[in-house]
Amino acid sequence: MKVVGVAGFKNSGKTTLVEKLVRHLTSQGYRISTVKHAHHSFDIDHEGRDSFRHRKAGASQVAVISKERTAIIHELRGEEPPSLEQVLAQLKPCDLVIVEGYKRDAHDKIEVRNLDLNHPILANDDPTIIAIAANGAIENTLRPVFDRDDVSSLADFIVKHCKLHAANIVVRRADKTDAAAIQKLTRDVYAKWVPVIGREPLPMRVDYEMAAEEHWIDLVEEEGQLVGLVETIPHGKYLFIENLAVAEAWQGKGLATRLLQHVEQLAKAARLAEVQLATNQAFTSNLGFYESRGYVAYETRPFHLGGVGVRFRKTLS
């Protein structure tokens, strides 16, 4: 199992950097796990919850299981906490574990520095520091130095240093022979919205043999399996997103964001000034997702089958 640490002192930006690295690397197809070392007591449930009541009643371990996640809470009650090696041994196989904290352990680490704070410098006497991520220039160091916000360059360094091998991901333009796979993925992804709006969303009803010939449909495949797609249509001065779908197993890994970036690159290459899309007003998670990616809602209009559509646009520089 490959391990790299993100180490530094309080308020250096460790957690923010770990979050950005996880998002970036998972979007590239890597399977990432994380370990966080806390220097104080913490809780992952709250008073009044059933699991909290089990622990307070004296249970040494409490397992909480749902269809979305599981957790096992172990009350140490005076025992020594497990070592990092013991924690790593309990993790499922993945491409890389990013460890936040544990700055005195022997694994390779990225030192995070906030130059506005007068913290000690770890790299001076720690040979496990392989690079430095800081919010400014650093001189007189033999380690590679990265801007703390240049996550892409730092991630590339980690990939090379750890010799990671990404999943075999292919992006290609669809044709009509892909219609059945496109239809299946679309129906699987949009099925959750049927109870919300009382009907099948429009993408579930499309003839994808015809759409593949008339529109731009770009597919993302992992080991030959379709895991995401985006369907776009040029309209005058803008490129319209007709359908964006990501397989459930890939949701939350940054693939939808990467597909949006792909669309914006397509629009720029076609000399189109903006990207537009429409989503159902009842799809609240979609509304927040597009807003967080720089898309601005500018119009609402009724769908002919019922419900209200929200139109979004993003002007491209």
Side-chain angles (χ1 to χ4, degrees):
M1 185 179 291
K2 306 292 180 67
V3 178
V4 70
V6 172
F9 292 90
K10 185 177 181 181
N11 297 324
S12 61
K14 299 188 300 296
T15 300
T16 299
L17 181 58
V18 170
E19 178 186 4
K20 290 179 178 178
L21 285 171
V22 170
R23 184 176 293 117
H24 182 89
L25 290 167
T26 55
S27 74
Q28 301 295 317
Y30 297 104
R31 297 168 300 166
I32 306 297
S33 297
T34 65
V35 175
K36 160 76 176 181
H37 183 255
H39 292 284
H40 48 76
S41 178
F42 70 94
D43 241 325
I44 63 171
D45 62 355
H46 306 284
E47 188 169 0
R49 302 282 186 183
D50 293 346
S51 54
F52 186 94
R53 293 168 63 187
H54 294 182
R55 289 164 50 215
K56 289 302 178 183
S60 296
Q61 284 190 319
V62 176
V64 186
I65 314 297
S66 78
K67 66 179 182 180
E68 295 182 350
R69 64 186 60 88
T70 66
I72 297 179
I73 306 167
H74 183 104
E75 289 291 320
L76 293 175
R77 305 193 190 283
E79 299 175 26
E80 284 294 315
S83 67
L84 177 58
E85 287 186 359
Q86 290 171 318
V87 173
L88 295 174
Q90 296 181 50
L91 298 180
K92 289 188 175 181
C94 63
D95 296 308
L96 178 69
V97 180
I98 301 178
V99 176
E100 181 181 343
Y102 290 96
K103 60 178 175 282
R104 301 304 178 193
D105 281 60
H107 57 285
D108 289 346
K109 307 175 191 73
I110 310 295
E111 179 183 354
V112 188
R113 292 188 199 171
N114 182 345
L115 301 180
D116 298 325
L117 302 175
N118 189 27
H119 287 151
I121 297 174
L122 294 176
N124 281 354
D125 58 1
D126 188 346
T128 69
I129 301 296
I130 57 173
I132 299 168
N135 60 336
I138 293 178
E139 299 178 353
N140 302 320
T141 179
L142 298 178
R143 272 79 164 186
V145 178
F146 297 88
D147 187 303
R148 199 175 56 183
D149 294 323
D150 187 2
V151 176
S152 178
S153 295
L154 182 57
D156 288 345
F157 170 82
I158 292 171
V159 167
K160 292 176 183 177
H161 179 82
C162 294
K163 298 180 174 61
L164 302 184
H165 301 286
N168 184 17
I169 295 176
V170 175
V171 180
R172 65 176 178 86
R173 183 61 52 85
D175 60 38
K176 65 180 184 180
T177 64
D178 298 301
I182 294 170
Q183 181 79 54
K184 182 179 186 309
L185 176 63
T186 300
R187 292 191 67 83
D188 289 347
V189 170
Y190 283 85
K192 67 180 181 181
W193 297 119
V194 174
V196 176
I197 63 176
R199 61 172 174 81
E200 291 186 342
L202 296 177
M204 297 178 73
R205 300 164 172 250
V206 171
D207 178 348
Y208 283 104
E209 281 196 24
M210 182 179 298
E213 292 189 331
E214 296 182 353
H215 304 160
W216 300 346
I217 304 181
D218 291 318
L219 310 179
V220 181
E221 296 176 325
E222 180 195 24
E223 306 292 345
Q225 297 296 312
L226 183 60
V227 298
L229 66 87
V230 62
E231 176 185 359
T232 54
I233 308 170
H235 279 282
K237 295 183 179 180
Y238 65 89
L239 187 60
F240 187 81
I241 299 176
E242 184 75 6
N243 180 15
L244 190 155
V246 174
E248 184 178 359
W250 277 74
Q251 292 175 15
K253 297 183 178 182
L255 182 55
T257 299
R258 297 277 294 178
L259 285 170
L260 284 182
Q261 293 169 346
H262 174 71
V263 170
E264 291 163 19
Q265 291 170 357
L266 288 178
K268 289 179 181 179
R271 300 183 182 277
L272 300 176
E274 67 181 28
V275 175
Q276 295 193 16
L277 60 94
T279 190
N280 198 300
Q281 193 174 54
F283 300 170
T284 53
S285 59
N286 285 7
L287 302 179
F289 171 76
Y290 291 121
E291 288 172 352
S292 69
R293 270 65 180 180
Y295 286 76
V296 178
Y298 71 93
E299 181 183 65
T300 59
R301 61 175 69 170
F303 286 121
H304 70 278
L305 293 176
V308 176
V310 181
R311 300 272 298 201
F312 285 85
R313 62 158 59 109
K314 182 176 183 178
T315 302
L316 304 178
S317 58

